Amino acid sequence: VLSGCGVYDGTEIHEASAILVHLSRGGAEVQMYAPDVPQMHVIDHSKGQPAEAESRNVLVESARIARGKIASLAKLTTADHDAVIFPGGFGAAKNLSTFAVDGKDCKVNGEVERVLKDFHKAGKPIGLCCISPVLAAKVLSGAEVTVGHEEEEGGRWPYAGTAGAIKELGGKHCVKEVTISFPVNFHAERQFTHVDTKNKVVTTPAFMCETELHNIFDGIGAMVKNVLKLTGK
């Protein structure tokens, strides 16, 4: 489920791409969706500032990442899929919800909420990365998720305050890394992904941390692997 195209006003493109690569490697068939709604605003990514005169549609912008093969989120049904995955990017907090503005008092897009509740009720896994775990924390009471660390640690975790918001939303936050500590052990991937086995929610910090791209890629791979494992297929 995409939220636009571009880290500051839509889907984080590297995260979406990593998810698609790992799903492809895992043998999954993929269908992409996005809500057919206006973006909260448009960011000029070369300046990091809002482009006041511009307006864009979340579905239309998401189609850039999907290479045109995308459908309105309203058409996503649980019966047709084994799992659902949400990449991060500020679009999750601006277009899929109002978290960027309202924090713990945020509202979640109606179709996003429906999808999360339907997959949860059906016992089908839900994967989320970066900022998108706030969606599960808001919609699925008591869900266990991770957005990484709970302290900024000199700027390495610039969005660490999100962990506190997750707790205020009624979720449980679990501290995780974005890199594997050495020596590597059999359960190394558990260091950068959290699996809530009760709710079948799998999360990983991704770009919540200032780190190298390959670390983001590996953490997302662990998330996707666990989502596929939970499908039982």
Side-chain angles (χ1 to χ4, degrees):
V1 176
L2 303 177
S3 62
C5 182
V7 57
Y8 296 119
D9 59 7
T11 302
E12 211 302 317
I13 299 169
H14 297 299
E15 291 178 3
S17 179
I19 289 169
L20 291 169
V21 169
H22 288 295
L23 284 172
S24 176
R25 183 169 288 154
E29 295 182 19
V30 177
Q31 170 64 52
M32 283 175 268
Y33 298 88
D36 188 0
V37 296
Q39 289 186 185
M40 173 184 155
H41 61 187
V42 178
I43 296 293
D44 179 340
H45 283 69
S46 70
K47 299 177 181 178
Q49 299 174 352
E52 302 291 351
E54 291 191 45
S55 62
R56 298 184 186 180
N57 177 279
V58 175
L59 177 60
V60 172
E61 290 302 295
S62 298
R64 294 174 179 271
I65 298 174
R67 297 171 63 88
K69 297 179 180 179
I70 195 166
S72 170
L73 188 58
K75 296 181 179 180
L76 194 165
T77 62
T78 310
D80 292 336
H81 301 281
D82 298 311
V84 65
I85 296 179
F86 291 79
F90 278 84
K94 292 179 177 180
N95 304 327
L96 303 188
S97 72
T98 63
F99 181 77
V101 176
D102 301 322
K104 65 180 180 63
D105 298 317
C106 68
K107 295 181 180 179
V108 175
N109 171 278
E111 290 297 337
V112 172
E113 182 171 358
R114 173 189 65 81
V115 168
L116 288 168
K117 287 182 175 179
D118 284 356
F119 274 82
H120 182 257
K121 183 177 180 180
K124 294 184 175 182
I126 300 166
L128 311 103
C129 64
C130 195
I131 191 67
S132 67
V134 299
L135 302 172
K138 176 67 176 181
V139 174
L140 307 177
S141 180
E144 299 175 0
V145 301
T146 187
V147 289
H149 282 208
E150 299 180 355
E151 301 293 337
E152 290 189 16
E153 300 177 15
R156 186 166 186 263
W157 295 89
Y159 311 108
T162 306
I166 282 171
K167 296 174 185 177
E168 292 180 314
L169 287 169
K172 178 182 177 181
H173 184 258
C174 304
V175 174
K176 293 292 178 176
E177 304 293 338
V178 289
T179 57
I180 297 176
S181 299
F182 290 92
V184 176
N185 59 50
F186 180 73
H187 299 296
E189 67 179 34
R190 294 183 183 178
Q191 295 178 21
F192 45 61
T193 189
H194 181 73
V195 181
D196 178 349
T197 53
K198 177 182 177 182
N199 293 297
K200 290 192 175 180
V201 173
V202 187
T203 51
T204 192
F207 278 107
M208 295 299 279
C209 182
E210 292 289 337
T211 187
E212 293 81 5
L213 183 59
H214 67 274
N215 291 325
I216 306 299
F217 186 87
D218 291 345
I220 287 174
M223 180 267 285
V224 170
K225 179 180 178 180
N226 279 284
V227 167
L228 294 178
K229 187 184 299 181
L230 286 173
T231 68
K233 296 187 175 182

